[in-house]
Amino acid sequence: MYSVARIATRSSKLVAALAVAGAISVVADAQAQVSASAVSADPVKGKGHYADVNGIKLYYEIQGSGKPLVLLHGGLGAIEMFGPNLAALAKGRQVIGVDLQGHGRTADIDRPLSVQFMADDIASLIKHLGLQSADIMGYSLGGGVALQTAIRHPEVVNKLVVVSTPFRRNGFYADILVQQGQVTAAAAEGMKQTPMYQMYASLAPRPQDWSRLLGKIGDAMKVDFDLTDQIKSIKARTLIVAGDADIFPPAHAVEMFALLGGGQRDAGWDGSGRPKSRLAILPGVTHYTMGSEPAMAAVAILFLDEVAPVGN
């Protein structure tokens, strides 16, 4: 077992382990704008609002205008995790950044930290905002929530962007699984010198819940998962993004792409044989730098702006 002090010194890798705990039609302009009646003017430590959904006060912020894009951060993060990528995404769409359960400005509640529960929160938020549907983009833990939203609530998902997210627990490199096993509430004190805690303490309604968050994420990461069959059922056009130096091998992202119908045949001279989903492996990008990597936003924007061919 690693000591708490040793865990703290390896925080750059540990945050990656923590971040992966969980592991249709065009929306008219009128639908893309959030109805004023849905906004609860209850901001705390931020410029956004809270939505009362599923027994949780879910914090969200809105930037830009156009088609809505729900943006979901990684574990131990918050909306700020995307850095300048958020502004880049908001240049052409209405970005709805969310702080997930127990993260950022959203206080924890008495339920497990589950990607399934958090996906239900996102579906409820979309409806709370008066939207019929939205594009959804998630990184790491947020990617797991995005996947579960498409699986559990397909009616609210237009396009789906899944960034640095495995679909099976054994997709992680073996050393990452070992690190995940060290995540407990006991690590909380040793990690108070890390940037993750400093951001959490500056945003959280109850900073004293830090150890509770680590304990819950640690418990969640011990649960085995395999979404192979569920991935096959996803109807939304999907972009899979991974780094070539991510916390799982590029082959795992390729396998997920295949489950969505990709990589099965040549597209032909006219491109008519292209699959409806897309795959991007970003060179030189690690899991730890993905959230603020400009290439990540660039490929996402290309995909989100792409008009689907007829019949696809």
Side-chain angles (χ1 to χ4, degrees):
M1 289 285 283
Y2 293 122
S3 67
V4 170
R6 189 173 180 185
I7 289 175
T9 62
R10 301 186 65 184
S11 60
S12 65
K13 289 188 176 180
L14 182 59
V15 70
L18 292 163
V20 290
I24 309 192
S25 60
V26 175
V27 179
D29 288 343
Q31 294 174 334
Q33 302 301 320
V34 175
S35 62
S37 62
V39 174
S40 172
D42 188 17
V44 174
K45 294 187 179 180
K47 56 187 176 183
H49 307 276
Y50 284 99
D52 291 314
V53 295
N54 303 333
I56 191 169
K57 291 176 68 67
L58 197 66
Y59 180 86
Y60 66 95
E61 296 179 4
I62 297 176
Q63 293 190 32
S65 61
K67 289 182 61 180
L69 170 67
V70 177
L71 189 62
L72 307 175
H73 60 79
L76 288 194
I79 298 167
E80 285 77 4
M81 179 174 273
F82 291 99
N85 276 338
L86 195 156
L89 290 163
K91 287 181 179 179
R93 56 199 41 82
Q94 181 187 70
V95 175
I96 304 165
V98 180
D99 283 349
L100 296 167
Q101 176 188 342
H103 289 74
R105 304 159 190 84
T106 297
D108 196 17
I109 61 173
D110 188 18
R111 72 179 189 190
L113 201 67
S114 154
V115 288
Q116 290 87 354
F117 289 151
M118 289 187 278
D120 295 345
D121 295 341
I122 298 306
S124 295
L125 174 65
I126 290 170
K127 295 171 184 176
H128 172 86
L129 296 176
L131 302 171
Q132 291 186 5
S133 57
D135 296 331
I136 301 183
M137 177 174 173
Y139 160 54
S140 199
L141 170 62
V145 176
L147 278 173
Q148 287 291 339
T149 306
I151 291 166
R152 295 165 69 86
H153 305 279
E155 73 283 357
V156 304
V157 181
N158 292 331
K159 290 183 178 180
L160 179 66
V161 182
V162 181
V163 182
S164 287
T165 305
F167 66 92
R168 287 195 316 269
R169 187 170 185 266
N170 66 7
F172 294 114
Y173 288 120
D175 62 325
I176 294 297
L177 290 173
V178 171
Q179 290 169 31
Q180 289 179 353
Q182 311 308 315
V183 180
T184 67
E189 189 62 33
M191 290 187 66
K192 283 190 174 179
Q193 303 306 312
T194 65
M196 298 89 74
Y197 172 75
Q198 291 161 12
M199 180 173 68
Y200 177 84
S202 71
L203 298 174
R206 297 195 303 263
Q208 64 270 27
D209 284 352
W210 173 244
S211 61
R212 172 174 170 159
L213 175 59
L214 289 187
K216 280 193 168 186
I217 285 185
D219 289 343
M221 289 192 295
K222 293 178 176 66
V223 178
D224 194 19
F225 65 93
D226 184 344
L227 302 180
T228 299
D229 291 338
Q230 293 95 322
I231 296 294
K232 294 176 183 177
S233 72
I234 292 176
K235 303 301 181 185
R237 297 188 70 225
T238 302
L239 168 65
I240 302 161
V241 183
D244 64 1
D246 220 307
I247 54 177
F248 49 83
H252 186 77
V254 174
E255 185 179 352
M256 184 175 172
F257 183 52
L259 293 174
L260 291 165
Q264 306 300 313
R265 60 172 180 167
D266 173 57
W269 287 103
D270 61 356
S272 61
R274 289 181 298 177
K276 70 177 184 179
S277 294
R278 302 285 184 261
L279 171 66
I281 304 294
L282 305 183
V285 177
T286 73
H287 191 82
Y288 323 106
T289 60
M290 180 66 80
S292 58
E293 168 59 47
M296 187 268 283
V299 298
I301 290 168
L302 285 173
F303 171 73
L304 293 169
D305 288 347
E306 184 181 22
V307 177
V310 175
N312 206 4

